[in-house]
Amino acid sequence: MATHQMPQNLISNSNADNLRNWLPEITNLVRSKLLLDMAAADAEALARNPALLDETIAYFGELLPAVYEMNIPRALTHEFASLRYTLGKRGYSDSFFAKFLQAWIIGINSTLEPTVTQEITPWLNQLLGRLPYLSAAACPVFDPLSTEQNAFLEFLLAREKQKAKDYLVGMVKPGRIPLAIVEQVMVPALCRVGLLWQEGSITVADEHAATNICRYLAYSLLDLMPQKKRRNQSAFLCCVPGEEHDLALEILAGALERNGWRVSFIGRSTPQPDLVKAIKEENPRVIFLSVTLVTHLPAAKDLIVELKLQNPNSAVVLGGFGVLFARDSFTDVTQIANQLSDGLAFAQKLEKEHA
Ligand code: B12
């Protein structure tokens, strides 16, 4: 249906940069306008959680230049729907979200030159026009959890670390390797933890506790993998700059170590120059990168350009939720991986080539 399609006009990089440079002014305007126009119910929701609105404005402000730079209008719709779901669950009314988009359009129009705004505002106007159709899509659709996933989730939420460990470890058997249990049970349960946080059913503290238990359990499972003899293979694993979701890479690093690889796991949010320097010095066989948030896709692109120049002989494997929106922008990587097992399979393929 025509109304459901976002315009596919390419935004020039200089205009995405223009938007980025003027963000402090634009976000101030957005904030003032929203506070002025807010309905009473929304003001009550704001009073209950004063930080959330500022966080949302800041996140949307990072999101806009990122989706323009990567030319991914679908991601703008997805992320907006996700923000709307989170705020909606905290009492913001339907009319607030139209005001939110209008405030951005006004903020951009009154700050940037018309030559810039005419490229930038069509996506926001289109999103505004689509708002009535978005309400049904705004609720994230999740497959129901299996009995196994549900039982594990209950242990996580109750912070029953030992019971959660016994439960997961008890699942290991021939034909069901530890990494499969991480993917089949732990990852869906953590996804549900994220959704429960979004819905306001659990707190950030609950989410952190669940993640930390999962980190511990991941090592317990990895310890059950046979330790293979040391190979002449090295891997460097890091999140792209700004990205803090590093648990997937930490688990992959552990699995590679069990496979005999020499591993540098750097993890979260390291500045690009430091990553580039470390990777140059190590010159690893494979660089595994992760990007969860769409806002960090431009940082992923910049880093990969630099790495291709500097470490032309290293393979680059890129994974994480954010990549799903922008596969076409990463044709220069050796492989895009959806799952941890894809990353391990890639490493095992290299091992065979060098056997
Ligand atoms: C734990 C968690 C955090 C932790 C991360 C801790 C850590 N050290 O990793 C903390 C608290 C830091 C965090 C912060 C934030 N988070 Co968070 N977080 C989560 C949560 C609950 C679980 C993520 C996780 O660890 N999953 C388990 C790991 C093992 O799996 P995975 O990351 O999904 O990766 C899978 C694949 O993508 C793949 N993979 C990933 N990378 C790679 C790389 C390679 C090479 C390979 C081979 C494979 C691969 O492997 C895994 C499965 O096989 C998710 C919920 C969800 N739906 O995922 C939210 C979630 C990702 N977070 C979210 C948000 C919004 C945030 C914050 C912006 C919140 C805030 N307001 O501050 C910040 C952003 C921080 C930043 N700058 O990056 C949103 C993202 C929404 C969106 N639309 O994208 C989610 C979806 C929650 C939600 N429902 O709203 N978060």
Side-chain angles (χ1 to χ4, degrees), residues 13 65-72 123 294 297-298 301 326 329-330:
N13 272 355
V67 293
Y68 286 133
E69 192 174 327
M70 305 302 296
N71 190 30
I72 44 173
W123 288 14
V294 168
L297 287 170
K301 214 170 100 182
S329 300
F330 292 103

Side-chain angles (χ1 to χ4, degrees), residues 1 14 36 94 101 111 122 145-146 177-178 190 205 212 221 252 259 283 311 335 354:
M1 263 195 294
S14 62
L36 214 66
D94 260 4
L101 290 173
T111 312
L145 291 187
S146 67
I177 60 165
L190 270 179
N212 288 332
L221 285 172
L252 181 58
N259 256 37
N283 197 22
N311 291 71
Q335 184 167 314
H354 290 87

Side-chain angles (χ1 to χ4, degrees), residues 15-272:
N15 282 349
D17 281 348
N18 238 313
L19 175 60
R20 199 171 266 124
N21 294 339
W22 285 93
L23 269 178
E25 286 76 5
I26 297 171
T27 49
N28 275 340
L29 283 172
V30 169
R31 192 173 185 280
S32 314
K33 177 113 190 70
L34 278 175
L35 293 179
L36 214 66
D37 290 354
M38 213 175 247
D42 301 324
E44 279 169 30
L46 173 67
R48 280 195 295 274
N49 186 347
L52 183 63
L53 182 63
D54 282 335
E55 283 167 16
T56 306
I57 294 173
Y59 185 78
F60 199 74
E62 281 177 42
L63 179 69
L64 277 183
V67 293
Y68 286 133
E69 192 174 327
M70 305 302 296
N71 190 30
I72 44 173
R74 196 165 64 83
L76 178 62
T77 311
H78 176 275
E79 296 293 296
F80 179 74
S82 175
L83 292 175
R84 182 179 168 172
Y85 189 68
T86 310
L87 265 64
K89 286 286 177 186
R90 284 158 181 78
Y92 283 85
S93 66
D94 260 4
S95 68
F96 173 82
F97 301 100
K99 287 180 187 154
F100 183 87
L101 290 173
Q102 278 154 356
W104 277 95
I105 294 166
I106 292 168
I108 289 169
N109 279 335
S110 42
T111 312
L112 301 174
E113 296 292 326
T115 47
V116 185
T117 59
Q118 71 197 16
E119 269 195 7
I120 288 179
T121 48
W123 288 14
L124 290 169
N125 275 315
Q126 189 84 8
L127 199 50
L128 190 59
R130 290 184 57 197
L131 263 183
Y133 308 99
L134 267 183
S135 55
C139 170
V141 181
F142 276 91
D143 292 337
L145 291 187
S146 67
T147 314
E148 248 179 7
Q149 292 161 346
N150 222 359
F152 177 65
L153 176 67
E154 292 301 321
F155 289 135
L156 280 188
L157 295 177
R159 301 185 192 167
E160 292 277 11
K161 187 168 156 180
Q162 199 53 47
K163 285 187 184 159
K165 178 178 171 181
D166 294 343
Y167 192 62
L168 283 198
V169 166
M171 289 175 193
V172 180
K173 57 180 185 200
R176 198 171 193 202
I177 60 165
L179 207 58
I181 295 167
V182 167
E183 283 177 345
Q184 293 160 7
V185 185
M186 184 185 287
V187 173
L190 270 179
C191 256
R192 190 53 60 108
V193 165
L195 181 66
L196 292 174
W197 166 80
Q198 245 187 313
E199 290 179 341
S201 317
I202 62 169
T203 65
V204 173
D206 295 323
E207 180 272 321
H208 283 12
T211 310
N212 288 332
I213 293 174
C214 283
R215 188 186 311 280
Y216 164 78
L217 297 179
Y219 283 104
S220 305
L221 285 172
L222 288 167
D223 283 346
L224 300 175
M225 287 174 74
Q227 178 62 59
K228 304 217 173 117
K229 67 177 190 325
R230 191 71 176 254
R231 299 170 194 276
N232 190 19
Q233 297 279 17
S234 60
F236 190 101
L237 302 94
C238 62
C239 290
V240 305
E243 182 63 62
E244 291 189 17
H245 297 92
D246 65 358
L247 183 56
L249 281 185
E250 188 168 352
I251 298 171
L252 181 58
L256 290 171
E257 272 173 338
R258 299 301 288 184
N259 256 37
W261 283 57
R262 190 159 49 79
V263 163
S264 282
F265 167 66
I266 306 301
R268 66 172 81 179
S269 203
T270 312
Q272 173 164 328

Side-chain angles (χ1 to χ4, degrees), residues 292-304:
T292 295
L293 298 187
V294 168
T295 47
H296 300 140
L297 287 170
K301 214 170 100 182
D302 289 353
L303 176 65
I304 289 164

Side-chain angles (χ1 to χ4, degrees), residues 283-347:
N283 197 22
R285 180 67 191 89
V286 189
I287 306 161
F288 291 97
L289 303 174
S290 184
V291 56
T292 295
L293 298 187
V294 168
T295 47
H296 300 140
L297 287 170
K301 214 170 100 182
D302 289 353
L303 176 65
I304 289 164
V305 168
E306 189 73 24
L307 294 180
K308 294 306 274 182
L309 285 173
Q310 181 191 271
N311 291 71
N313 297 324
S314 303
V316 177
V317 179
L318 175 67
F321 179 73
V323 190
L324 302 180
F325 288 103
R327 297 181 82 94
D328 296 349
S329 300
F330 292 103
T331 46
D332 49 349
V333 302
T334 319
Q335 184 167 314
I336 291 181
N338 292 330
Q339 296 284 331
L340 291 172
S341 46
D342 298 335
L344 189 61
F346 181 86

